[in-house]
Amino acid sequence: MIVLGIESSCDETAAAITKDGREVLSDVIYSQADIHSEYGGVVPEIASRKHIEKILYVIDEAVKKAGITKDEIDAVAVTYGPGLVGALLVGVSAAKALAFAWNKPLVPVNHIQGHIAANYVAFKELEPPFICLVASGGHSHIVHIKSYGDFDILGATRDDAAGEAFDKVARVIGLGYPGGPKIDKAAKDGDVNAFNFPRAKSGSDFSFSGLKTAVINEVHKIEQRGGEVPKADIAASFQQAVVDVLVKNTVQKALETKVNTLCLAGGVASNSELRRQMDEAAKKNGLKLYYPPLRLCTDNAVMISAAGYYNFISGIKAGYDLNAVPALHL
Ligand code: KG4
Ligand code: ZN
């Protein structure tokens, strides 16, 4: 089964083709990050316009690079939420037009489900059940994947997503956008114990808004005293606070549910300390841990194509009235 996947929920315009949800035939990403970095974050209107410029080009490239013709495509899968409405609509409209013109089934994909499916592509042997920490710019969830189409959310952030906190803190200490990779790099020269930032938990959920505010207050205090902001120490101490919360909560959920396979997904899953410390914690607790290569952690269309395959074989299809759903839940 060959599935074309289309992704345009934020600032990556992407198209990819996979076979049977596990094998990558092509993977094309046009990243707008450089454009948005000038503004310190994603500007929705610019994102939509850039998607319109690039969408047909990336789809065309994906088909060419896969070495197939359109006739060999069995379904067109597309992210329809969550994400920026104008950005999502570009991918959804392109997918609808192609599905109609080529007379192929249209398969709707939830972006978060896509992030999880990146692990199926990276690890051929991986099968549900497993626990997945999905941490990206827009979401931080701990999900129990009971079967390919059956998910339980075990915990989530009450407020800011992990990636959002990385981006905001990076902006405050002047590292720029996207903040995650920049904090990751800066933290390597910093002391994780330089500042004792809060680790907040609320029942099954966690929170990053208090942590973000604590960092901002600390930076303002230093600036008001006329001191120089110790960027590396702030980055390291902040990153450690996020990693502590994510590792502790994810491992706890795995132990509680007695599911001993763990996966990481989403942009924040590329964080080097999260990967290292989750490795340590998994070993200590007898859990098997998977995390995709960096290219499959941040937004891409391979994951949408893979998730689309599993939706398609379980009979999930959309009509031509498919709309973008910015606040779509898992
Ligand atoms: O999954 P993704 O590409 O887009 C969304 O669905 O949101 O995630 C992007 C987020 C951004 O907030 C970015 O700062 C964060 O992932 N990120 C990282 C790293 N690389 C990307 N956060 C921490 N460490 C990283 N190395
Ligand atoms: Zn994403």
Side-chain angles (χ1 to χ4, degrees):
M1 195 83 73
I2 291 181
V3 178
L4 164 66
I6 299 173
E7 157 64 36
S8 71
S9 66
C10 190
D11 61 345
E12 264 87 28
T13 321
I17 294 183
T18 63
K19 191 175 170 196
D20 298 334
R22 298 270 178 170
E23 191 188 330
V24 182
L25 301 188
S26 66
D27 172 14
V28 181
I29 303 175
Y30 168 76
S31 174
Q32 308 174 0
D34 286 349
I35 299 164
H36 298 288
S37 71
E38 266 184 60
Y39 304 94
V42 178
V43 183
E45 183 58 25
I46 295 178
S48 314
R49 284 165 192 244
K50 281 286 154 196
H51 284 311
I52 292 173
E53 278 174 30
K54 299 291 176 186
I55 193 88
L56 293 178
Y57 167 78
V58 298
I59 294 170
D60 211 32
E61 278 292 296
V63 176
K64 274 193 205 135
K65 285 195 170 147
I68 58 163
T69 64
K70 64 177 175 23
D71 299 329
E72 291 169 82
I73 295 171
D74 294 295
V76 178
V78 65
T79 305
Y80 73 111
L84 302 168
V85 68
L88 287 165
L89 276 170
V90 177
V92 168
S93 306
K96 286 202 274 195
L98 288 176
F100 179 71
W102 294 347
N103 194 23
K104 310 280 181 192
L106 176 66
V107 181
V109 174
N110 179 310
H111 183 82
I112 303 172
Q113 187 202 348
H115 274 301
I116 297 169
N119 283 284
Y120 298 138
V121 177
F123 307 103
K124 311 283 178 250
E125 72 282 13
L126 175 67
E127 284 189 17
F130 58 89
I131 301 293
C132 188
L133 167 68
V134 193
S136 70
H139 3 269
S140 301
H141 290 101
I142 299 170
V143 186
H144 180 185
I145 290 86
K146 293 161 69 188
S147 68
Y148 287 103
D150 189 7
F151 309 95
D152 262 358
I153 296 179
L154 305 177
T157 178
R158 281 281 169 103
D159 35 59
D160 291 14
E164 196 179 347
F166 269 95
D167 293 335
K168 284 182 183 161
V169 166
R171 192 182 317 162
V172 166
I173 60 175
L175 294 178
Y177 174 86
K182 295 192 167 151
I183 290 204
D184 197 341
K185 188 155 173 263
K188 294 196 192 302
D189 301 317
D191 175 5
V192 292
N193 296 314
F195 300 92
N196 185 18
F197 292 130
R199 277 92 166 138
K201 189 162 178 345
S202 154
S204 275
D205 294 335
F206 38 92
S207 152
F208 292 118
S209 147
L211 166 62
K212 177 194 68 188
T213 308
V215 174
I216 293 171
N217 288 344
E218 190 64 47
V219 170
H220 287 166
K221 236 169 40 195
I222 296 168
E223 284 171 345
Q224 271 164 7
R225 287 198 302 256
E228 195 176 323
V229 177
K231 292 185 183 184
D233 284 347
I234 298 256
S237 303
F238 158 75
Q239 177 175 271
Q240 189 55 47
V242 176
V243 169
D244 275 350
V245 169
L246 294 178
V247 171
K248 190 167 162 231
N249 283 281
T250 308
V251 169
Q252 188 191 332
K253 294 295 173 203
L255 297 177
E256 274 171 21
T257 46
K258 299 193 169 49
V259 175
N260 58 12
T261 303
L262 269 187
C263 291
L264 307 184
V268 180
S270 27
N271 184 268
S272 59
E273 277 305 304
L274 177 65
R275 291 161 93 100
R276 191 182 68 73
Q277 295 183 36
M278 196 69 93
D279 259 332
E280 272 180 15
K283 268 197 201 99
K284 209 166 108 193
N285 290 283
L287 304 167
K288 175 119 186 76
L289 174 67
Y290 295 94
Y291 41 77
L294 300 190
R295 187 174 170 94
L296 288 176
C297 287
T298 43
D299 287 349
N300 65 85
V302 166
M303 67 187 201
I304 302 305
S305 175
Y309 165 79
Y310 286 104
N311 279 354
F312 184 48
I313 58 170
S314 60
I316 298 171
K317 277 193 256 169
Y320 297 128
D321 59 348
L322 178 67
N323 205 350
V325 183
L328 183 67
H329 291 290
L330 196 60

